[in-house]
Amino acid sequence: MMSNMPSGGAGRRRSRSTSVSYLEFKQIGKVFPGVRALSDISFQVDSGRVHGLLGENGAGKSTLMKILGGEYRPEEGELIIDGQVRSFGRSREAIDAGIAIIHQELQYVPDLSVMENLLLGHLPSRFGFVSKRAALKQVGAQLQQLGVDIAPDALLKDLSIGQRQMVEICKAIFRDARIIALDEPTSSLSHQESEILFRLVRELKAKGKVLIYISHRLEEVFALCDSATVFRDGCKVADYPRLADITREELVTRMVGREIKDVFGYQPRTQGETRLEVEGMSGRKLSEAASFSVRGGEIVGFFGLVGAGRSELMQLVYGADRRDAGEVRIDGRPLKGRGIRDSIESGLVFCPEDRKENGIIGCLSVSENINISCRRHYRQGYFFVNDSSEARTAEGYIKLLRIKTPGRQQKIRYLSGGNQQKVILSRWLAEQDLRVLIIDEPTRGIDVGAKNEIYSVLFEMAAKGVAIVMVSSELPEVLGVSDRVVVMCQGRITGELRRGEANEQNVLSLALPAGKTADRAAA
Amino acid sequence: MTTTTQNVPGKTMAKSKTGIIKYLDEYSLILIFLALFALLSFSVEYFFSLDNMIGLALSVSQIGMVACTMMFCLASRDFDLSIGSTVAFAGVLCAMVINQTGSIVTGVAVSLLAGAAIGFINGVVIAKLRVNALITTLATMEMVRGMAFIASGGQAVGVSNTAFFTIGNTMILGIPSPVWITIVCFVVFGIMLNKTVYGRNTLAVGGNPSASRLAGVSVERTRIYIFLIQGAIAALAGIILASRITSGQPNSAQGFELNVISACVLGGVSLMGGRATISGVIVGVLIMGTVQNAMNLLNIDAFYQYLVRGGILLTAVLIDQLKQREEND
C-alpha cells in the first residue's frame, strides 16, 4: 500500500519525464457468459489529468470501472498502475492500492453521521473507546479545508443526494486515493453542488491525482477533462489525448457512428386516423407535462437516456401510476376511468420493461399467463372460467407466434426471455378489441434471432391498425423500427423526428442534457 | 437462436419426464398419509374403527373449514392470525344474540356478518393501506379476542334455546353435521380455486402481484375478498363450535390459527404464494387430525404432543423446501 503512494510531486515528475503513465489499461477484455462486454481496451492516464470516458448506455464504461475497482477480473489484458501489473481479486485490494470508484449508486450507511461514514473502519480511539469529539473536530477541520459545507455530525440520511455524493468524494480524498473515478457524478446534483464538485475535481487534479470522469453531459466533459476515450459496444473507437482539439459534433458522431443496416424488416405502412392522444400528462417523475399522439398503424419510438422519464410517462398513460393531471383519449373518446382496468377495457395495453418483475407470473403456466386478462371475455356465469376456450386461445397463440414450449401447461419461468416476451404479447393480442400497445424495452435481454421475431409481431400488429408506442434505450432499434421518434430528456419531451429525418446524431443530441451546463463550460 | 431457445424448455422437459419418480413426487403427500394411516390402523388399537374415524373427522372439522379459506390467503402471499379470535368472538356473539332475540337465524346471521366485517377490515388495512399482513392480523387477533371477553364479561355464554344445538350435533347418514359442512367447504372452495376467475386471480396475485396488477387483475379487490370470506368462514366455524359445546366461550380456539396454517403448509401450500391445491389441504388437515388422534389413543402426554406436532410441521416444510430447490435449479 505504501509503495503506491509516493509523494505527489515525485510521481508526477517521473511520469512526465519518462512518459510512463500512472494508470494504464492494456488490451483489456471481459467476457460474460454468452456476451462479450469489452475487447481490446487500451489507454493511459497521467497523474494530474482528468480523463473522460464517453459512450452510450451499455458501451462498457461501467464494466471497465468495475474492473478497475476489483469487482470484475478481466479475462484478457493487463491493468498497470505506477508501472506495476496489478490484478485485483476483491474490491478491498483495489481500495488498498489507492483506487476509489464513486458509483452512481452511492455506498454509505444512512443512519451514521458524516464523520462516522468518512472514518468508517479508522475511527480514532483511546483504550478501545471512540473519542467522538476529537474525531468530529478533525473531520470538521478537514471538510472546511476542502471548502465543503457539511456538518460532520449530520446523519447521512438527512443530507441531500448531492451532499451525500460530496461525502463520498471526501471519503476518497481522506483515504488519500491516487486514482479516483467518478461515474455520472452530476446526474443528481443541483447547479451549486455541481460547481463545488467541479472545484474539487480541479483541486484533486492540481494535487496530481489520476481522475476518470464518466458523463453523458458533453459540456462537463469539455470543461473538465484533458483527454478522453470513446467507447462503443465494448470497444474503444477513439482516443483523444488532447480534448481541446475536437468539437462536440465530432465526439457525438464517434459515440454512435455505427451504420444501421435494415435488419429490422421495416416496410412502410398506410397509417390511419389518430388513435391515441395523450394531453398534458403530468406526474411525479416528469418535469413538464407531456403530450403526444399516435395514429393507427403507426409505430412511435420513445428514446432517451436512462432516467429520461419514458417509462414513467408510459406508466402514467396506462394508469399504473397516479396522474397529477392529463387526459388519454382513444379514437377521440376519453378513457372511462384512470385505472389499469379502464385502459385495458378501452383497448390500451402495456408490456412492462422488467419482464421478470412486472411481466410474467413465473410459477403459473404459459396458458395462465396468456389468459390472465382476456379470460373475462369468455367466463361463464360471471364467475367460472371457460377451460376449453382458454386452452384454445393458448394453443392458438403458441402456434401463431411460434412460442417454444413443451406445452401450454409448462411453467413460464422455464421459457427463454424471447418466448416469455411472446407470451406477454399473446396476452394482449388475445384482447378482443386491441387498439393501442405500449411496449417498454421490447427486446431487452433477448437474443438476436428472437428480437427479429418480436419486431415482426410488432409490424404485423401495426399493419392491422394497432397504434404502437415502443420505448427503447437501443438507438438502432428505435431508428430501425419506428415511423416516428419522440425523444425525452430529464423528464420532458425534447423533440420529435419523422423516419427519414431522424438519425443517430440528431436523436442523441436531443437526448443529451444541454443548456443547463453550457454556461458552466464557458466559465 | 433456435438452439438456445429450444434448450431451456428441452432441459426441463427431460427433467420432468422421469416417469414414476415424478408421479411419486407429485403424490408424495398422499402416499405419506396413506402409509401413516395404514401403519396406525395396524399398530394402534381402536384406531381403525367407525367410531374413531367419525371422532377424528369431527375433531378436524373446524380446522378443515377454515383451512379452505386460509389456503386462499396463503396462496395470495398473505397471512391471517386473527381467525382464532374470530371463532371465539363469533361463538359468543351468536349465543348472546340468540339469548336476546330468541331467533337462531338472527344470531347466526349477525355472527357471520361480524366475521365478514372483521375480515373486511383486515383486507382493507392490508390491501389498501399496505400494512404488513402479519402485523395487521396480529393486532386484530388481540382486538377481536378482547371484544369476545368484553362482550361476554369473561364468562361462557350459555344458550337457552336448545334448538341451536342441532346445528352442530345432528347426525346425517351416520355422519355428524360439522363434518358435512366441512366436506361442502372442501368442494365449494376447491371449485372456487380451480374453476373461477377469483381462484385463478388469487394464484396470480400470489405468484407476482405487480405483474398481475399490470395485467389488469384488481389485486386490491381480490385480497379484500380473500380476507372477507376468511372472516365469514371463521365465524361459521365459531357458530358450529358454540353449538357443539352449547355455549359461546370467549377463551376458546386459542392457537387455532396456527393449527390451520400448519395444516395448509403440510398440504403443500406455499407461503411464498402462487401454489395451492385443495387435495393437498385436505391431506394436510387429515394428517394433523390423524396424528392428534393416534397420540390421544396412545395416551401420549399432552405436553409431548406439542413437540410431535411442531416436529411434523418442520419436517414437512423442509421436504417442501428441498423439492422447491430442485425445481429452481
Side-chain angles (χ1 to χ4, degrees):
Chain A
M1 181 173 162
M2 293 312 289
S3 65
N4 299 317
M5 283 190 278
S7 74
R12 198 162 52 209
R13 203 173 313 122
R14 196 193 53 171
S15 60
R16 284 264 167 83
S17 57
T18 59
S19 88
V20 170
S21 297
Y22 189 78
L23 171 67
E24 182 176 0
F25 294 94
K26 204 167 170 185
Q27 295 167 329
I28 297 271
K30 174 77 200 161
V31 182
F32 291 113
V35 191
R36 178 166 265 284
L38 288 175
S39 54
D40 195 23
I41 301 290
S42 303
F43 65 90
Q44 311 177 349
V45 192
D46 292 338
S47 293
R49 306 273 272 169
V50 184
H51 187 84
L53 291 189
L54 297 157
E56 290 179 276
N57 300 331
K61 300 164 293 181
S62 297
T63 308
L64 190 69
M65 286 306 101
K66 285 185 173 156
I67 288 172
L68 180 62
E71 282 176 64
Y72 296 154
R73 211 189 266 272
E75 273 81 20
E76 299 151 13
E78 291 173 335
L79 177 61
I80 301 168
I81 296 170
D82 200 18
Q84 280 181 298
V85 176
R86 303 298 297 254
S87 170
F88 303 127
R90 289 174 302 134
S91 18
R92 188 73 237 169
E93 293 172 25
I95 290 170
D96 289 341
I99 294 166
I101 313 268
I102 294 150
H103 289 288
Q104 268 174 288
E105 297 87 26
L106 302 174
Q107 285 142 8
Y108 50 82
V109 190
D111 284 308
L112 291 183
S113 70
V114 171
M115 177 271 288
E116 286 162 313
N117 268 281
L118 286 172
L119 298 181
L120 214 57
H122 317 274
L123 282 170
S125 62
R126 186 182 293 168
F127 311 123
F129 292 98
V130 174
S131 90
K132 205 166 174 180
R133 207 173 335 142
L136 281 173
K137 221 167 124 187
Q138 179 200 334
V139 169
Q142 278 174 295
L143 287 176
Q144 210 159 32
Q145 208 187 337
L146 290 168
V148 177
D149 184 25
I150 299 173
D153 56 348
L155 296 186
L156 256 273
K157 64 178 180 191
D158 297 332
L159 300 182
S160 74
I161 295 189
Q163 288 174 313
R164 291 178 207 176
Q165 183 124 32
M166 223 46 84
V167 171
E168 200 77 4
I169 293 167
C170 291
K171 206 194 278 180
I173 299 172
F174 277 32
R175 249 199 252 129
D176 206 13
R178 277 304 306 271
I179 299 170
I180 299 168
L182 299 134
D183 194 349
E184 294 283 352
T186 53
S187 57
S188 47
L189 296 193
S190 73
H191 188 83
Q192 279 112 331
E193 288 168 337
S194 299
E195 288 299 338
I196 298 175
L197 175 84
F198 297 154
R199 197 171 44 72
L200 276 178
V201 168
R202 291 195 179 104
E203 276 171 25
L204 289 168
K205 178 181 157 180
K207 282 185 183 153
K209 310 280 186 192
V210 174
L211 287 132
I212 294 178
Y213 195 89
I214 300 177
S215 180
H216 281 302
R217 301 182 176 173
L218 293 182
E219 287 77 9
E220 291 176 9
V221 173
F222 274 109
L224 281 177
C225 299
D226 305 297
S227 52
T229 303
V230 180
F231 281 66
R232 198 196 306 146
D233 298 333
C235 298
K236 183 178 85 171
V237 292
D239 221 350
Y240 298 104
R242 273 176 55 83
L243 203 54
D245 294 347
I246 58 154
T247 61
R248 180 193 157 106
E249 284 65 39
E250 194 181 332
L251 212 53
V252 172
T253 316
R254 285 296 192 158
M255 278 165 71
V256 292
R258 137 186 52 186
E259 261 180 88
I260 298 216
K261 287 162 263 154
D262 199 13
V263 292
F264 300 97
Y266 177 88
Q267 274 168 353
R269 270 163 272 112
T270 49
Q271 289 171 12
E273 295 290 303
T274 302
R275 286 220 101 148
L276 171 71
E277 286 168 278
V278 175
E279 211 177 284
M281 187 58 64
S282 51
R284 259 185 316 133
K285 302 263 178 65
L286 298 181
S287 59
E288 190 181 292
S291 304
F292 64 93
S293 64
V294 186
R295 292 167 172 277
E298 187 184 28
I299 301 180
V300 174
F302 268 71
F303 181 78
L305 302 172
V306 172
R310 300 160 298 165
S311 301
E312 289 78 6
L313 173 61
M314 296 313 153
Q315 300 253 346
L316 289 170
V317 172
Y318 186 50
D321 256 343
R322 227 208 346 250
R323 300 170 193 156
D324 293 339
E327 194 181 42
V328 178
R329 285 189 295 273
I330 290 171
D331 293 328
R333 267 194 306 265
L335 296 185
K336 271 171 270 166
R338 293 180 151 206
I340 290 171
R341 286 293 284 267
D342 302 302
S343 300
I344 296 173
E345 274 161 28
S346 308
L348 167 68
V349 302
F350 176 69
C351 297
E353 173 184 7
D354 189 336
R355 227 175 3 257
K356 189 159 165 270
E357 285 297 315
N358 299 317
I360 64 165
I361 297 158
C363 61
L364 298 186
S365 68
V366 170
S367 172
E368 284 290 319
N369 272 283
I370 292 176
N371 284 296
I372 183 164
S373 175
C374 65
R375 64 164 49 111
R376 67 176 197 283
H377 296 304
Y378 30 73
R379 65 191 159 193
Q380 298 166 323
Y382 194 81
F383 286 117
F384 294 96
V385 296
N386 184 334
D387 282 325
S388 58
S389 296
E390 295 201 353
R392 218 176 307 126
T393 308
E395 295 292 350
Y397 283 105
I398 288 170
K399 207 175 286 169
L400 187 71
L401 300 192
R402 293 187 297 277
I403 299 170
K404 293 205 179 57
T405 167
R408 67 186 147 86
Q409 297 299 355
Q410 176 77 344
K411 286 184 181 165
I412 192 171
R413 67 160 173 252
Y414 296 127
L415 268 56
S416 70
N419 285 304
Q420 290 180 352
Q421 187 70 297
K422 288 187 199 170
V423 170
I424 294 178
L425 280 168
S426 305
R427 177 189 294 171
W428 297 131
L429 285 167
E431 281 293 328
Q432 286 171 352
D433 188 24
L434 176 62
R435 291 162 192 244
V436 181
L437 169 76
I438 302 174
I439 185 162
D440 197 351
E441 301 290 356
T443 61
R444 176 169 289 176
I446 291 176
D447 49 289
V448 183
K451 273 186 185 182
N452 280 344
E453 289 188 88
I454 302 286
Y455 298 140
S456 61
V457 174
L458 294 182
F459 290 137
E460 273 167 44
M461 287 168 82
K464 286 188 184 134
V466 176
I468 297 179
V469 175
M470 182 186 79
V471 174
S472 174
S473 298
E474 284 185 49
L475 195 44
E477 178 174 281
V478 171
L479 294 174
V481 174
S482 317
D483 297 301
R484 188 150 53 92
V485 179
V486 175
V487 185
M488 288 186 75
C489 175
Q490 296 179 332
R492 63 189 197 92
I493 293 176
T494 48
E496 201 179 303
L497 297 156
R498 277 196 308 276
R499 191 185 183 87
E501 70 185 30
N503 59 43
E504 303 192 324
Q505 280 80 358
N506 55 22
V507 169
L508 201 69
S509 68
L510 283 170
L512 286 167
K516 200 179 109 183
T517 45
D519 50 326
R520 230 181 280 150
Chain B
M1 184 274 308
T2 40
T3 51
T4 51
T5 41
Q6 268 169 348
N7 233 344
V8 179
K11 208 164 58 187
T12 52
M13 213 162 77
K15 194 188 250 177
S16 56
K17 257 192 178 172
T18 37
I20 290 178
I21 305 282
K22 189 206 164 203
Y23 196 77
L24 284 177
D25 210 35
E26 185 126 6
Y27 297 100
S28 58
L29 203 68
I30 296 173
L31 292 174
I32 289 172
F33 171 67
L34 290 178
L36 178 76
F37 193 84
L39 182 75
L40 292 174
S41 301
F42 285 112
S43 60
V44 179
E45 217 178 340
Y46 304 122
F47 178 79
F48 195 69
S49 64
L50 187 63
D51 279 351
N52 189 49
M53 287 299 109
I54 287 173
L56 192 161
L58 195 58
S59 72
V60 293
S61 59
Q62 270 92 357
I63 290 180
M65 278 173 229
V66 185
C68 293
T69 51
M70 186 61 86
M71 168 181 77
F72 278 78
C73 198
L74 296 176
S76 70
R77 258 190 222 186
D78 274 323
F79 220 90
D80 193 349
L81 296 177
S82 68
I83 46 171
S85 301
T86 307
V87 166
F89 177 64
V92 168
L93 188 68
C94 185
M96 290 176 69
V97 172
I98 290 171
N99 287 345
Q100 289 278 316
T101 63
S103 158
I104 294 168
V105 176
T106 316
V108 169
V110 167
S111 288
L112 287 177
L113 280 175
I118 293 165
F120 179 73
I121 291 167
N122 276 335
V124 169
V125 173
I126 291 164
K128 290 265 185 202
L129 305 180
R130 311 268 157 98
V131 180
N132 178 289
L134 186 76
I135 305 298
T136 306
T137 59
L138 194 62
T140 47
M141 171 176 110
E142 300 282 11
M143 288 159 71
V144 173
R145 179 71 68 182
M147 274 156 51
F149 280 118
I150 292 165
S152 63
Q155 304 291 315
V157 182
V159 180
S160 43
N161 188 339
T162 51
F164 175 62
F165 309 145
T166 54
I167 297 177
N169 294 303
T170 311
M171 298 292 269
I172 302 165
L173 302 173
I175 292 171
S177 50
V179 178
W180 281 113
I181 295 173
T182 307
I183 292 170
V184 170
C185 280
F186 282 139
V187 173
V188 168
F189 285 102
I191 291 172
M192 270 170 84
L193 183 69
N194 294 313
K195 295 284 172 197
T196 66
V197 179
Y198 167 72
R200 299 285 176 91
N201 283 352
T202 299
L203 290 172
V205 166
N208 188 341
S210 77
S212 304
R213 190 174 85 93
L214 289 175
V217 174
S218 336
V219 175
E220 291 178 357
R221 202 187 310 165
T222 306
R223 293 173 83 189
I224 290 172
Y225 274 129
I226 288 168
F227 280 100
L228 188 148
I229 296 171
Q230 167 110 303
I233 294 295
L236 178 67
I239 293 163
I240 290 164
L241 184 69
S243 165
R244 278 176 61 197
I245 59 180
T246 70
S247 63
Q249 302 213 1
N251 56 357
S252 62
Q254 309 245 24
F256 178 73
E257 58 281 339
L258 299 180
N259 288 335
V260 172
I261 292 170
S262 298
C264 286
V265 172
L266 270 176
V269 179
S270 167
L271 289 175
M272 303 305 290
R275 193 161 53 92
T277 57
I278 192 75
S279 62
V281 169
I282 293 172
V283 173
V285 169
L286 288 176
I287 290 179
M288 291 275 294
T290 306
V291 171
Q292 185 79 39
N293 181 275
M295 286 194 296
N296 286 339
L297 287 178
L298 291 170
N299 264 326
I300 294 176
D301 193 327
F303 299 160
Y304 290 92
Q305 294 191 7
Y306 283 103
L307 279 183
V308 174
R309 279 207 303 263
I312 290 173
L313 181 62
L314 202 56
T315 315
V317 175
L318 284 174
I319 292 171
D320 186 62
Q321 195 81 4
L322 291 175
K323 257 161 71 178
Q324 286 268 316
R325 207 173 296 165
E326 219 167 82
E327 207 177 310
N328 287 339
D329 281 345

